[in-house]
Amino acid sequence: MSGKDESVFSKSALMSTKAGKKVMKQGLFKSKGYKQFNHYKEETEQKFPEFAKRFTNNLLEQIKSDSSANLTQQKFAEEVGSTEIILNSSEVDPIRAKLENFDVLHDRVLRILNSNFVKMTFPVFNALFDASTNYFDDKNESSLRQDVVDGHIIAIDLSEPMDRIVDKDEDLDYLDDYKLMNPYILRLAREKIAKGGDEVLRQFEIGFKDARVGQYLDTKLKEKPTGITEEELAESYKKYRSVMGTAGKNMALSREPLGEIFYTGMAKAAESVGCGNEIEDTIRDKAVKIPSWPLYYSLSSNSVQEGFELTMKKSESYLQEARGAIDSLPDKFSHKEFLEFLFLTVEHYNEFWYKRLEKENIWSELSSNIPK
């Protein structure tokens, strides 16, 4: 398995959850889903360093060739609707000069690539692209696969520096560097995604716009943590489902019937992982994340412990919808077992962090830190 914390998928970790034991069983008997998943996991481990260097070189080229870096910052702020995530004009040149060094920029790229959403989805996108190639009997164009997958991974990765800038919960020494990098990351993602054709780029723009709506709402909800509604929180989850769902659709080059099925599967799996990620962050910070399903349910039930139990049920409902998409796949779809195995790993991920939270037994500390 792949993730930010490899111990989540260690043998002992897998043995600690029901889903993990099923994963172990499939590995023991070398099921088709396990073998497919392992193939793409190994491919990712081999190619990820190359991707990181390619990403850095492309980004370096963007930064060095920009004749109006300050204007680039301003335009980015206008597009995403926030001045909080850009540099002041006086800061641009010194930060830019620092990042024009490959090693420095490569370090920042590796930091933002150290993300569950990036590491867990890189092998998935390659698998979906291959499945689509098989289904539509396309020519096997490795350059197109690389561009479309790279572009969407880079677009998803953009959420990492943006979240860290807004949340101010990690990488505090590098937030100004991320502010300079953000517009070029988006520009690079668009250039690569456009190689898939006009419709693929159009779908990305729709998804990116929806994700910004979710991200904006997520930021606004931080200002009124005790007044968050279920509808608002579901809407804020567009930050997960829109980007990930659109990426899934575009692995089929936005062609039906796979496009919509991939969208639903990836969108709902992402929302499920989002719940697990909120639990993981709670353990790290010793505080319930704002906004989050654990916060919403803790406040509505007047019990932090019950709030996390309900969050787990929410993650299960998202995952059930993701699994429902598998039932819609065409007959003889080449990667059905891969997706079934994938969703089993998502289930384990969420179970693992919930069990870890129970073991930590920090309910009283969480209750004392919850917004009143």
Side-chain angles (χ1 to χ4, degrees):
M1 314 322 138
S2 302
K4 190 173 181 177
D5 184 350
E6 294 296 334
S7 68
V8 177
F9 296 105
S10 66
K11 184 177 179 180
S12 61
L14 290 170
M15 288 299 293
S16 71
T17 71
K18 287 182 180 179
K21 288 174 183 175
K22 291 178 183 178
V23 167
M24 293 277 288
K25 186 177 179 180
Q26 288 206 34
L28 183 64
F29 291 101
K30 299 291 190 293
S31 71
K32 182 179 178 181
Y34 167 81
K35 286 193 287 188
Q36 286 182 324
F37 193 95
N38 201 48
H39 165 76
Y40 289 105
K41 172 183 174 288
E42 289 178 351
E43 180 191 39
T44 294
E45 288 171 352
Q46 178 187 349
K47 294 187 175 180
F48 199 83
E50 297 171 21
F51 162 69
K53 288 181 180 178
R54 189 164 62 244
F55 184 5
T56 304
N57 278 318
N58 292 157
L59 208 55
L60 187 61
E61 187 180 336
Q62 296 265 2
I63 293 170
K64 285 185 173 181
S65 64
D66 189 0
S67 59
S68 52
N70 191 47
L71 183 60
T72 298
Q73 290 278 304
Q74 298 299 323
K75 286 181 176 178
F76 182 73
E78 289 172 15
E79 180 168 10
V80 300
S82 171
T83 56
E84 185 182 358
I85 56 174
I86 63 168
L87 295 167
N88 295 323
S89 57
S90 61
E91 299 171 313
V92 172
D93 287 342
I95 298 295
R96 180 183 178 181
K98 177 172 63 172
L99 293 180
E100 285 182 342
N101 177 290
F102 175 88
D103 291 335
V104 173
L105 186 60
H106 190 233
D107 173 78
R108 307 305 185 261
V109 165
L110 290 175
R111 287 177 184 279
I112 62 175
L113 286 176
N114 188 27
S115 149
N116 283 325
F117 275 97
V118 169
K119 292 192 170 183
M120 292 171 80
T121 54
F122 200 98
V124 178
F125 289 168
N126 282 314
L128 292 180
F129 195 96
D130 287 351
S132 171
T133 297
N134 289 342
Y135 179 78
F136 292 108
D137 199 24
D138 296 333
K139 292 179 181 177
N140 198 349
E141 297 184 39
S142 59
S143 61
L144 180 61
R145 179 190 196 244
Q146 180 176 291
D147 282 329
V148 174
V149 171
D150 277 14
H152 281 90
I153 289 291
I154 289 168
I156 287 166
D157 194 45
L158 177 61
S159 67
E160 285 297 320
M162 290 177 71
D163 282 348
R164 294 176 199 184
I165 290 164
V166 172
D167 295 341
K168 296 179 176 65
D169 58 357
E170 58 181 310
D171 280 1
L172 299 181
D173 293 336
Y174 309 108
L175 299 186
D176 285 347
D177 297 348
Y178 296 159
K179 288 178 181 180
L180 185 95
M181 291 162 62
N182 285 340
Y184 304 108
I185 294 173
L186 178 57
R187 186 185 296 173
L188 181 60
R190 281 178 167 141
E191 286 180 3
K192 288 181 176 289
I193 290 168
K195 301 287 179 64
D198 292 343
E199 181 59 20
V200 168
L201 181 60
R202 190 180 78 85
Q203 289 298 327
F204 167 73
E205 296 296 355
I206 293 170
F208 184 61
K209 183 178 180 181
D210 279 347
R212 292 203 306 275
V213 170
Q215 189 65 56
Y216 174 76
L217 184 54
D218 185 89
T219 303
K220 296 302 290 183
L221 292 180
K222 294 181 191 300
E223 300 170 7
K224 57 160 197 172
T226 59
I228 298 169
T229 67
E230 184 175 12
E231 184 179 356
E232 287 173 326
L233 198 52
E235 182 77 358
S236 78
Y237 254 52
K238 279 184 173 179
K239 65 181 179 178
Y240 294 127
R241 68 176 175 269
S242 295
V243 171
M244 203 68 75
T246 301
K249 174 180 278 193
N250 279 348
M251 291 308 112
L253 301 182
S254 195
R255 293 172 293 181
E256 302 307 334
L258 296 188
E260 198 59 35
I261 296 170
F262 286 1
Y263 183 98
T264 301
M266 290 301 99
K268 293 304 172 181
E271 289 179 304
S272 183
V273 171
C275 293
N277 204 41
E278 289 171 350
I279 297 171
E280 181 182 358
D281 287 350
T282 295
I283 297 169
R284 180 194 67 196
D285 300 334
K286 301 292 189 293
V288 181
K289 192 170 184 177
I290 304 173
S292 66
W293 284 117
L295 175 65
Y296 171 77
Y297 287 128
S298 295
L299 291 172
S300 61
S301 66
N302 202 30
S303 165
V304 170
Q305 198 161 352
E306 187 175 343
F308 280 90
E309 290 173 9
L310 292 169
T311 298
M312 278 302 291
K313 289 181 180 178
K314 188 69 176 177
S315 75
E316 290 161 9
S317 70
Y318 281 139
L319 196 52
Q320 190 173 359
E321 289 184 78
R323 284 176 165 142
I326 294 177
D327 297 333
S328 305
L329 288 168
D331 293 339
K332 298 180 181 178
F333 179 75
S334 60
H335 287 60
K336 180 179 180 180
E337 291 84 358
F338 169 87
L339 290 172
E340 289 172 341
F341 188 84
L342 169 68
F343 295 158
L344 199 57
T345 69
V346 170
E347 185 179 355
H348 162 72
Y349 172 83
N350 292 340
E351 281 186 47
F352 173 84
W353 286 114
Y354 181 64
K355 283 182 174 290
R356 174 68 67 85
L357 179 62
E358 288 184 311
K359 188 176 180 181
E360 291 283 326
N361 194 24
I362 53 174
W363 304 117
S364 58
E365 187 174 353
L366 295 178
S367 296
S368 65
N369 290 335
I370 207 160
K372 300 295 190 292

